Amino acid sequence: DAGVIQSPRHEVTEMGQEVTLRCKPISGHDYLFWYRQTMMRGLELLIYFNNNVPIDDSGMPEDRFSAKMPNASFSTLKIQPSEPRDSAVYFCASSLSAEQSYGYTFGSGTRLTVV
Amino acid sequence: QKEVEQDPGPLSVPEGAIVSLNCTYSNSAFQYFMWYRQYSRKGPELLMYTYSSGNKEDGRFTAQVDKSSKYISLFIRDSQPSDSATYLCAMSSMDSNYQLIWGAGTKLIIKP
């Protein structure tokens, strides 16, 4: 298995533009998580899905952020309009179960810079 | 006060030294304790998992949980330059629907 695949690896965009981040989880994993990581705030959970259904989106910072999971093999995180404070590394992770012994498998992240 | 406290470092030690990384927490309901390792420009990867109190050993790595003190540790024996990374502790409980609460991460540098 290729692991969790995220695209793009890097994204530089201008303030006000729409940004779409993509994630392909590991096949058979029922849970998908979107995280944001910054030096100041560390890892923050934005939203997670179970069997393609959003379960908890309380970490989504504002209405500018939205996430979808149209099928078991694909998810998107969209920011519209983007702002400089959205600059961060965004990680997607998937897990076989909510049981923590399985752990989360993270992708390599998308480094977003909004100028 | 954060639920999970972790010294961000950096912690710099010579190759071969024993490394001790620690986290403290405030929520006594936490039952599941994990250590993730994150190399530069990569996502975190699960290194050690412990349920409730006690020790767990895996090769050069030992994880300890002291629930009475709300304190967890990760020990690395015979440290290698390849161990240089950021180490994040994470924990969860059934009450939190298993969602992970993360420490800030400690940056570890092993000098050859």
XYZ file of all heavy atoms in Angstrom, chain A residues 8-49:
360
model
N -1.707 18.971 -3.324
C -0.302 19.006 -3.719
C 0.611 18.946 -2.497
O 0.142 19.042 -1.366
C -0.204 20.363 -4.418
C -1.190 21.219 -3.691
C -2.336 20.310 -3.336
N 1.914 18.806 -2.684
C 2.854 18.833 -1.562
C 3.074 20.259 -1.076
O 3.253 20.499 0.118
C 4.191 18.211 -1.968
C 4.169 16.709 -2.108
C 3.842 15.999 -0.794
N 4.661 16.429 0.330
C 5.834 15.911 0.658
N 6.360 14.950 -0.070
N 6.498 16.358 1.712
N 3.085 21.169 -2.033
C 3.269 22.581 -1.709
C 2.235 23.391 -2.484
O 1.909 23.057 -3.626
C 4.667 23.073 -2.088
C 5.771 22.303 -1.445
N 6.248 22.581 -0.193
C 6.484 21.235 -1.888
C 7.212 21.732 0.114
N 7.377 20.908 -0.894
N 1.750 24.438 -1.854
C 0.793 25.327 -2.515
C 1.085 26.744 -2.044
O 1.096 27.014 -0.840
C -0.640 24.923 -2.147
C -1.713 25.823 -2.730
C -2.044 25.495 -4.163
O -2.009 24.298 -4.509
O -2.348 26.422 -4.928
N 1.314 27.618 -3.018
C 1.469 29.044 -2.719
C 0.350 29.770 -3.450
O 0.180 29.597 -4.657
C 2.844 29.585 -3.178
C 2.953 31.063 -2.827
C 3.974 28.800 -2.522
N -0.410 30.537 -2.723
C -1.539 31.215 -3.334
C -1.678 32.619 -2.777
O -1.104 32.948 -1.723
C -2.839 30.423 -3.084
O -3.888 30.960 -3.893
C -3.252 30.486 -1.624
N -2.418 33.427 -3.478
C -2.634 34.794 -3.022
C -3.874 34.871 -2.145
O -4.846 34.120 -2.337
C -2.786 35.731 -4.227
C -1.492 35.904 -5.011
C -1.628 36.941 -6.121
O -2.772 37.330 -6.425
O -0.594 37.352 -6.671
N -3.831 35.769 -1.220
C -4.962 35.997 -0.330
C -6.232 36.186 -1.151
O -6.229 36.895 -2.160
C -4.693 37.246 0.517
C -5.761 37.562 1.526
S -5.280 38.930 2.599
C -5.109 40.246 1.412
N -7.296 35.532 -0.714
C -8.574 35.658 -1.393
C -8.862 34.541 -2.383
O -10.023 34.365 -2.794
N -7.829 33.792 -2.752
C -8.024 32.694 -3.699
C -8.571 31.460 -2.998
O -8.414 31.271 -1.786
C -6.707 32.350 -4.394
C -6.142 33.473 -5.248
C -7.087 33.841 -6.367
O -7.505 32.988 -7.166
N -7.448 35.111 -6.448
N -9.194 30.609 -3.786
C -9.681 29.329 -3.274
C -8.554 28.301 -3.325
O -7.793 28.248 -4.297
C -10.861 28.856 -4.123
C -11.394 27.486 -3.720
C -12.572 27.053 -4.579
O -13.613 27.722 -4.539
O -12.429 26.046 -5.302
N -8.466 27.510 -2.271
C -7.450 26.458 -2.188
C -8.150 25.128 -1.934
O -9.029 25.049 -1.062
C -6.463 26.740 -1.039
C -5.476 25.593 -0.884
C -5.726 28.050 -1.269
N -7.758 24.102 -2.660
C -8.311 22.758 -2.440
C -7.182 21.775 -2.199
O -6.283 21.633 -3.030
C -9.144 22.291 -3.639
O -10.240 23.205 -3.832
C -9.717 20.900 -3.376
N -7.243 21.127 -1.059
C -6.265 20.108 -0.697
C -6.926 18.741 -0.837
O -8.106 18.576 -0.507
C -5.785 20.318 0.748
C -5.361 21.753 1.121
C -4.903 21.815 2.566
C -4.320 22.280 0.176
N -6.144 17.765 -1.270
C -6.707 16.454 -1.589
C -6.038 15.345 -0.792
O -4.849 15.440 -0.467
C -6.579 16.180 -3.082
C -7.363 17.155 -3.935
C -7.101 17.000 -5.416
N -7.941 17.892 -6.207
C -7.688 19.176 -6.401
N -6.622 19.739 -5.868
N -8.512 19.900 -7.139
N -6.806 14.305 -0.544
C -6.285 13.195 0.261
C -6.885 11.886 -0.213
O -8.094 11.778 -0.435
C -6.628 13.409 1.733
S -6.166 12.016 2.807
N -6.014 10.889 -0.343
C -6.447 9.523 -0.612
C -6.037 8.670 0.577
O -4.843 8.467 0.809
C -5.807 9.002 -1.895
C -6.138 7.542 -2.211
C -5.500 7.115 -3.529
C -5.553 5.607 -3.737
N -6.905 5.054 -3.629
N -6.992 8.169 1.358
C -6.627 7.386 2.544
C -6.201 5.970 2.155
O -6.313 5.564 1.001
C -7.921 7.363 3.351
C -8.998 7.450 2.316
C -8.437 8.324 1.228
N -5.746 5.234 3.136
C -5.387 3.834 2.909
C -6.668 3.027 2.717
O -7.649 3.209 3.465
C -4.571 3.293 4.100
C -3.189 3.943 4.110
C -4.450 1.777 4.057
C -2.321 3.575 5.302
N -6.652 2.174 1.740
C -7.824 1.361 1.443
C -8.210 0.509 2.662
O -7.360 -0.144 3.270
C -7.516 0.451 0.251
O -8.601 -0.404 -0.014
N -9.492 0.552 3.003
C -9.972 -0.234 4.144
C -10.009 0.534 5.447
O -10.580 0.063 6.432
N -9.396 1.701 5.488
C -9.453 2.531 6.694
C -10.786 3.273 6.734
O -11.137 3.963 5.785
C -8.291 3.526 6.730
C -7.008 2.922 7.174
N -5.908 3.681 7.527
C -6.649 1.629 7.349
C -4.919 2.877 7.894
N -5.344 1.625 7.775
N -11.486 3.137 7.863
C -12.816 3.715 7.972
C -12.832 5.144 8.505
O -13.857 5.805 8.463
C -13.686 2.856 8.899
C -14.011 1.502 8.279
O -13.990 1.400 7.036
O -14.275 0.552 9.037
N -11.692 5.572 9.062
C -11.633 6.903 9.656
C -10.651 7.776 8.877
O -9.548 7.334 8.519
C -11.177 6.823 11.125
C -12.213 6.249 12.051
C -12.384 4.870 12.146
C -13.035 7.074 12.817
C -13.357 4.332 12.976
C -14.004 6.536 13.654
C -14.153 5.173 13.720
O -15.116 4.643 14.544
N -11.050 9.016 8.652
C -10.175 9.970 7.985
C -10.178 11.264 8.766
O -11.244 11.753 9.162
C -10.632 10.226 6.534
C -9.714 11.165 5.741
C -9.523 10.633 4.327
C -10.232 12.583 5.730
N -8.988 11.806 8.973
C -8.810 13.005 9.786
C -8.076 14.072 8.981
O -7.143 13.759 8.243
C -7.972 12.688 11.034
C -8.493 11.547 11.861
C -8.177 10.235 11.538
C -9.295 11.785 12.963
C -8.650 9.175 12.301
C -9.776 10.731 13.728
C -9.451 9.435 13.390
N -8.493 15.319 9.161
C -7.742 16.453 8.637
C -7.167 17.224 9.819
O -7.889 17.621 10.730
C -8.620 17.383 7.806
C -8.896 16.902 6.417
C -10.022 16.291 5.951
C -8.019 17.021 5.279
N -9.899 16.005 4.609
C -8.688 16.458 4.176
C -6.738 17.555 5.097
C -8.109 16.401 2.894
C -6.168 17.496 3.836
C -6.854 16.931 2.746
N -5.842 17.446 9.782
C -5.141 18.192 10.816
C -4.434 19.383 10.192
O -4.076 19.378 9.014
C -4.061 17.321 11.481
C -4.544 16.398 12.566
C -4.939 15.096 12.273
C -4.577 16.822 13.897
C -5.354 14.242 13.277
C -4.993 15.969 14.906
C -5.377 14.677 14.588
O -5.798 13.831 15.585
N -4.183 20.386 11.032
C -3.364 21.527 10.649
C -2.235 21.627 11.672
O -2.475 21.460 12.880
C -4.210 22.805 10.644
C -3.443 24.062 10.343
C -4.383 25.237 10.140
N -5.068 25.642 11.358
C -5.895 26.689 11.418
N -6.143 27.391 10.333
N -6.474 27.005 12.560
N -1.018 21.913 11.195
C 0.122 22.009 12.098
C 0.853 23.325 11.881
O 1.234 23.661 10.754
C 1.100 20.846 11.897
C 2.220 20.798 12.947
C 3.122 19.586 12.793
O 3.466 19.173 11.687
N 3.503 18.969 13.919
N 1.024 24.085 12.957
C 1.806 25.310 12.939
C 2.764 25.301 14.130
O 2.559 24.559 15.100
C 0.918 26.566 13.024
O 0.195 26.523 14.272
C -0.057 26.643 11.876
N 3.782 26.116 14.060
C 4.730 26.212 15.178
C 4.028 26.709 16.430
O 4.285 26.227 17.537
C 5.869 27.152 14.813
C 6.815 26.611 13.759
S 7.785 25.250 14.374
C 8.840 26.115 15.520
N 3.131 27.660 16.249
C 2.492 28.288 17.409
C 1.468 27.373 18.072
O 1.364 27.339 19.295
C 1.812 29.588 16.977
C 2.781 30.697 16.602
S 3.746 31.229 18.028
C 2.473 31.947 19.061
N 0.700 26.651 17.300
C -0.443 25.915 17.839
C -0.294 24.404 17.780
O -1.178 23.680 18.259
C -1.701 26.351 17.097
C -2.006 27.851 17.222
C -3.126 28.264 16.280
N -4.410 27.715 16.720
C -5.270 28.361 17.499
N -4.985 29.577 17.927
N -6.415 27.801 17.843
N 0.788 23.928 17.173
C 0.992 22.486 17.087
C -0.011 21.837 16.150
O -0.485 22.446 15.197
N -0.351 20.572 16.453
C -1.304 19.815 15.647
C -2.728 20.100 16.123
O -3.041 19.901 17.290
C -1.033 18.324 15.775
C -0.148 17.658 14.734
C 0.136 16.230 15.124
C -0.789 17.700 13.362
N -3.572 20.502 15.210
C -4.969 20.778 15.537
C -5.872 19.919 14.653
O -5.712 19.925 13.437
C -5.320 22.240 15.259
C -4.508 23.267 16.001
C -4.869 24.670 15.520
O -4.335 25.092 14.479
O -5.688 25.327 16.189
N -6.796 19.216 15.265
C -7.765 18.446 14.497
C -8.820 19.391 13.936
O -9.446 20.149 14.668
C -8.430 17.399 15.378
C -9.520 16.560 14.728
C -8.944 15.699 13.607
C -10.232 15.690 15.759
N -9.007 19.331 12.624
C -10.009 20.188 11.981
C -11.350 19.479 11.875
O -12.395 20.019 12.254
C -9.523 20.609 10.596
C -8.203 21.375 10.554
C -7.803 21.655 9.112
C -8.307 22.667 11.343
N -11.317 18.252 11.347
C -12.541 17.497 11.113
C -12.168 16.034 10.948
O -11.049 15.715 10.557
C -13.272 18.011 9.850
C -14.617 17.313 9.637
C -12.391 17.843 8.604
C -15.466 17.944 8.532
N -13.126 15.133 11.290
C -12.873 13.743 10.956
C -14.139 13.070 10.448
O -15.264 13.477 10.777
C -12.218 12.972 12.101
C -13.124 12.464 13.204
C -13.643 11.172 13.182
C -13.409 13.253 14.307
C -14.430 10.693 14.218
C -14.189 12.788 15.348
C -14.692 11.512 15.301
O -15.476 11.034 16.335
N -13.936 12.060 9.637
C -15.004 11.296 9.002
C -14.937 9.834 9.447
O -13.861 9.294 9.690
C -14.844 11.312 7.467
C -14.963 12.662 6.833
C -13.883 13.543 6.798
C -16.155 13.057 6.243
C -13.991 14.782 6.199
C -16.275 14.299 5.637
C -15.182 15.158 5.612
